[in-house]
Amino acid sequence: MQEYNGCSRTQKEYYFSQGSLLKNLASLTELGITEICVRDPVLVNDKVCFLNFISEAVVQAPDVFFTLYIPPLLLDREICSSLSNLSCSIQMEIPVVFDRRLLARRAVLLNSYGLVFGFDFLAGGQNETVKQFRFRLDFLISLYPNHIYFPCLEDDDHSLKTTAVLSSQDIKTVKRLAYACDVFYSAGRAVPWFLSLLKALSMSAHCLFSDFAEWQYCNNCGLTSSFIVSRANHLDIEKMQLAFLELKCEEKNRQLLYPAIRDCIMLNGALSRAAGEGEESLLELYYQPDDLLGVDAVDLNCFVENVYMEPCQVKVFVSDKGPEYIVVQ
């Protein structure tokens, strides 16, 4: 029996059996449920049924955030257009063997509709080597997912086991990389600026995560430390990102890049906290916010060469229109 898991404001969990969720959509708000995770292969394998579910959810549960597990093959323009009316995140399970071209096309489609999406990175199957794990991680990051979830870090059913091509030391390497990605990329809300950062530092995603994992170990906030990412707030993780990247810029003799990297991370981070937590921020920046959020910031090396520093104080806040900013000094 498939289950739907709903979380209320008081963190109490409710479960709805297969086929019952549609009938109970109207009661979600009454129960105080603000978030619900839906895993139902029957629902998502019937396009007509799924479209009906989405339209009913939009009307009956407009204040509930849905995490929907959807196979990439189901996603098309009609589905994405319908999903754009729902407060939701699309989650896709990515096994070792998958159709890269299909997934890339679906990621472009999801991004074109402004939909939030992420991946469940299923690791260790089909005798995957560390090298193949790294290659798959780099590819998935290139698709601009909002987050990547690694079941092998939390779920015993997906725990990694040694194979002919994956030693116990390899498993430690994979899990450290996964945890570094979980902290730096997903919890760190890095999607708006991460690919620009990689280009500026001439690094692959897995190399950056490997270096960050080493930094975590040295600073007692790695996988085997007492640090628990789910209990950390975003601002704490942002400080970790900035401390690591300042060191990385020094190592690569690219200190001139750091102020632009810092400003991009701080401004995007403040906007995300305004949107997610309703938090107001006052930032001291080296560059003007319009420049940092413009097209020039896609290439940070060119940005540093062509955009003048204009130190300013920026207030980030939430208005009726959503997250906004103003230069106050």
Side-chain angles (χ1 to χ4, degrees), residues 47-227:
K47 181 177 177 180
V48 174
C49 180
F50 188 50
L51 284 170
N52 178 59
F53 170 82
I54 297 170
S55 62
E56 290 297 324
V58 170
V59 174
Q60 298 187 47
D63 299 322
V64 177
F65 185 85
F66 290 80
T67 297
L68 302 167
Y69 276 78
I70 304 175
L73 194 61
L74 180 69
L75 295 167
D76 58 18
R77 292 192 177 278
E78 186 178 10
I79 292 286
C80 290
S81 177
S82 184
L83 286 169
S84 66
N85 298 311
L86 183 68
S87 178
C88 68
S89 173
I90 313 307
Q91 199 71 9
M92 292 172 278
E93 293 185 339
I94 308 299
V96 173
V97 179
F98 62 98
D99 188 333
R100 286 178 168 79
R101 290 185 179 180
L102 172 67
L103 190 62
R105 290 196 297 269
R106 295 302 187 263
V108 169
L109 186 61
L110 288 164
N111 280 316
S112 70
Y113 279 91
L115 290 166
V116 175
F117 72 94
F119 302 124
D120 273 23
F121 195 120
L122 305 181
Q126 300 293 321
N127 291 328
E128 183 179 41
T129 64
V130 173
K131 182 178 180 180
Q132 290 168 328
F133 174 90
R134 290 167 176 159
F135 177 79
R136 189 156 55 111
L137 179 58
D138 287 347
F139 175 76
L140 294 181
I141 287 289
S142 74
L143 302 181
Y144 282 94
N146 292 81
H147 52 273
I148 298 180
Y149 170 56
F150 296 89
C152 65
L153 293 176
E154 299 179 8
D155 190 342
D156 289 339
D157 292 336
H158 292 91
S159 59
L160 299 176
K161 297 177 176 61
T162 57
T163 67
V165 296
L166 195 70
S167 67
S168 58
Q169 185 59 47
D170 290 336
I171 290 175
K172 291 180 182 178
T173 298
V174 166
K175 294 184 75 170
R176 288 178 68 218
L177 275 174
Y179 189 68
C181 176
D182 186 40
V183 175
F184 191 97
Y185 187 87
S186 299
R189 307 178 188 180
V191 61
W193 45 264
F194 190 72
L195 294 185
S196 296
L197 173 70
L198 293 182
K199 182 178 180 181
L201 295 178
S202 302
M203 297 182 72
S204 64
H206 79 263
C207 283
L208 187 140
F209 293 140
S210 179
D211 289 352
F212 183 63
E214 185 65 28
W215 183 92
Q216 287 181 295
Y217 174 79
C218 294
N219 288 275
N220 196 33
C221 56
L223 178 61
T224 58
S225 72
S226 59
F227 175 77

Side-chain angles (χ1 to χ4, degrees), residues 299-320:
D299 188 330
L300 289 171
N301 287 305
C302 290
F303 181 89
V304 169
E305 292 179 2
N306 297 295
V307 178
Y308 289 105
M309 280 189 179
E310 296 182 65
C312 58
Q313 192 175 76
V314 176
K315 180 180 179 181
V316 178
F317 59 97
V318 183
S319 71
D320 294 338

Side-chain angles (χ1 to χ4, degrees), residues 183-326:
V183 175
F184 191 97
Y185 187 87
S186 299
R189 307 178 188 180
V191 61
W193 45 264
F194 190 72
L195 294 185
S196 296
L197 173 70
L198 293 182
K199 182 178 180 181
L201 295 178
S202 302
M203 297 182 72
S204 64
H206 79 263
C207 283
L208 187 140
F209 293 140
S210 179
D211 289 352
F212 183 63
E214 185 65 28
W215 183 92
Q216 287 181 295
Y217 174 79
C218 294
N219 288 275
N220 196 33
C221 56
L223 178 61
T224 58
S225 72
S226 59
F227 175 77
I228 300 176
V229 62
S230 61
R231 297 180 184 175
N233 62 48
H234 176 253
L235 196 56
D236 289 336
I237 294 174
E238 183 179 279
K239 291 176 182 177
M240 294 168 63
Q241 291 169 326
L242 293 175
F244 165 72
L245 290 172
E246 184 173 20
L247 178 64
K248 185 55 55 181
C249 286
E250 290 176 2
E251 288 179 357
K252 288 182 164 288
N253 197 28
R254 297 187 181 183
Q255 292 91 331
L256 294 178
L257 271 176
Y258 181 70
I261 291 173
R262 168 193 174 275
D263 281 9
C264 282
I265 293 174
M266 289 179 63
L267 181 56
N268 279 285
L271 288 168
S272 77
R273 292 191 298 275
E277 291 85 26
E279 179 181 316
E280 186 175 290
S281 303
L282 190 62
L283 309 176
E284 300 284 345
L285 301 179
Y286 293 106
Y287 293 92
Q288 291 290 314
D290 287 349
D291 292 330
L292 293 166
L293 297 175
V295 294
D296 290 339
V298 172
D299 188 330
L300 289 171
N301 287 305
C302 290
F303 181 89
V304 169
E305 292 179 2
N306 297 295
V307 178
Y308 289 105
M309 280 189 179
E310 296 182 65
C312 58
Q313 192 175 76
V314 176
K315 180 180 179 181
V316 178
F317 59 97
V318 183
S319 71
D320 294 338
K321 300 177 182 178
E324 292 194 66
Y325 61 85
I326 56 172

